[in-house]
Amino acid sequence: MKKKDKNLYEAKAKVLKSLAHPTRLWMAEQLSAGEMCVCEFVEQIDADFSTISKHLSVLKQAGIVEDDKRGKQVYYKLRVPCVMNFMECVEAVIAQNAKDQAALLR
Amino acid sequence: MKKKDKNLYEAKAKVLKSLAHPTRLWMAEQLSAGEMCVCEFVEQIDADFSTISKHLSVLKQAGIVEDDKRGKQVYYKLRVPCVMNFMECVEAVIAQNAKDQAALLR
DNA sequence: TCTACTATTTGTTGTTTGGCGAAATAAGCA
DNA sequence: TGCTTATTTCGCCAAACAACAAATAGTAGA
């Protein structure tokens, strides 16, 4: 692996890593349907609000989402909508895993 | 988030997490061009061979790659080729990050 | 069989992440 | 201004991860 590549792969890994957490992934998928405020996430996720805020900041740092403060509330939305496109493929991997798993039992 | 969903998102996150490491991501991209044996990775990556083997096993466990032992060597290949499709989008995120970064300096 | 080679597994260590609760910050309202 | 609500930041601890080195296992050939 070339040195120049190394930085590129680190950058790519950082983006993926930000999505590689169940809560953050769920958040990102919700946002693919439209913006949401922090308070809505707090209502729907069973975790401390400080934890939720932290997850959102990880997504923001990675460039997945952007925030917008309006009054007392902060709204988040996807910054690069294509982000959720590849979920289809992630699901394909899981489906294949399940299939192979099932085959083992036969 | 519904309880049933929780498991699904954990499974998806596991797949993403397996790719969310610079070395593993690079490996997966190499494999998108065709199978490779462990020894080839060892030649090309500056890390202990045990580390490399471990990374491959993480990818295998996630269902990203499958292995095939032939003689003394073990060959790995992508199990679900679409896996690399979404890299395009990851790159789009990085490009956008760079753009915004540049805008700050203006 | 004994040896050399390839790869995986295990043990150890240091680093990073994830989560909570408390404190700090920001905005709107009485 | 002082109070309340919404969110972020900080400090702390436990769990997960990454890397190396040493030990182990499988295969091919002498």
Side-chain angles (χ1 to χ4, degrees):
Chain A
M1 174 158 43
K2 288 157 197 150
K3 279 176 192 172
K4 187 182 149 199
D5 276 0
K6 203 172 164 250
N7 291 324
L8 176 59
Y9 283 91
E10 276 169 9
K12 288 186 189 178
K14 185 183 169 189
V15 171
L16 286 176
K17 199 187 259 183
S18 75
L19 288 168
H21 183 288
T23 303
R24 292 196 294 266
L25 192 51
W26 184 84
M27 286 171 150
E29 285 202 16
Q30 297 305 300
L31 291 178
S32 69
E35 66 172 20
M36 286 175 70
C37 80
V38 178
C39 54
E40 289 174 284
F41 284 122
V42 170
E43 271 170 27
Q44 294 178 50
I45 298 171
D46 182 29
D48 194 273
F49 63 93
S50 66
T51 302
I52 291 167
S53 176
K54 183 89 170 295
H55 281 313
L56 286 165
S57 95
V58 171
L59 289 173
K60 184 180 161 188
Q61 270 242 315
I64 303 292
V65 302
E66 58 193 12
D67 60 349
D68 177 22
K69 184 157 197 168
R70 288 185 224 137
K72 277 191 288 192
Q73 286 151 356
V74 178
Y75 286 81
Y76 280 86
K77 66 178 172 191
L78 285 187
R79 184 149 147 284
V80 184
C82 71
V83 161
M84 297 324 292
N85 290 174
F86 57 73
M87 277 310 117
E88 201 179 308
C89 180
V90 171
E91 276 156 27
V93 173
I94 293 172
Q96 186 65 42
N97 289 353
K99 205 172 143 190
D100 291 2
Q101 198 66 26
L104 283 179
L105 301 175
R106 248 181 265 130
Chain B
M1 174 156 44
K2 288 158 197 149
K3 280 175 192 170
K4 187 183 151 198
D5 276 1
K6 204 172 163 248
N7 291 323
L8 175 59
Y9 283 91
E10 276 168 9
K12 288 186 189 178
K14 185 183 169 188
V15 170
L16 286 175
K17 199 186 259 183
S18 75
L19 288 168
H21 183 288
T23 303
R24 292 196 294 265
L25 193 52
W26 184 85
M27 287 170 151
E29 284 202 16
Q30 297 304 300
L31 292 178
S32 69
E35 64 171 22
M36 287 176 69
C37 81
V38 178
C39 54
E40 290 175 283
F41 284 121
V42 169
E43 271 171 27
Q44 293 177 52
I45 297 172
D46 181 30
D48 194 273
F49 64 95
S50 67
T51 302
I52 291 168
S53 177
K54 184 82 175 298
H55 281 312
L56 286 165
S57 95
V58 171
L59 289 173
K60 184 179 161 189
Q61 270 242 314
I64 303 291
V65 302
E66 58 192 14
D67 59 348
D68 177 22
K69 184 158 198 168
R70 287 184 224 140
K72 277 191 286 191
Q73 286 150 357
V74 178
Y75 286 81
Y76 280 86
K77 67 178 172 192
L78 285 188
R79 183 150 148 284
V80 183
C82 71
V83 161
M84 298 324 292
N85 290 173
F86 57 72
M87 277 310 117
E88 200 179 307
C89 180
V90 172
E91 276 156 27
V93 173
I94 293 171
Q96 185 66 40
N97 288 353
K99 205 172 143 190
D100 292 2
Q101 199 63 28
L104 283 180
L105 302 175
R106 247 180 266 126

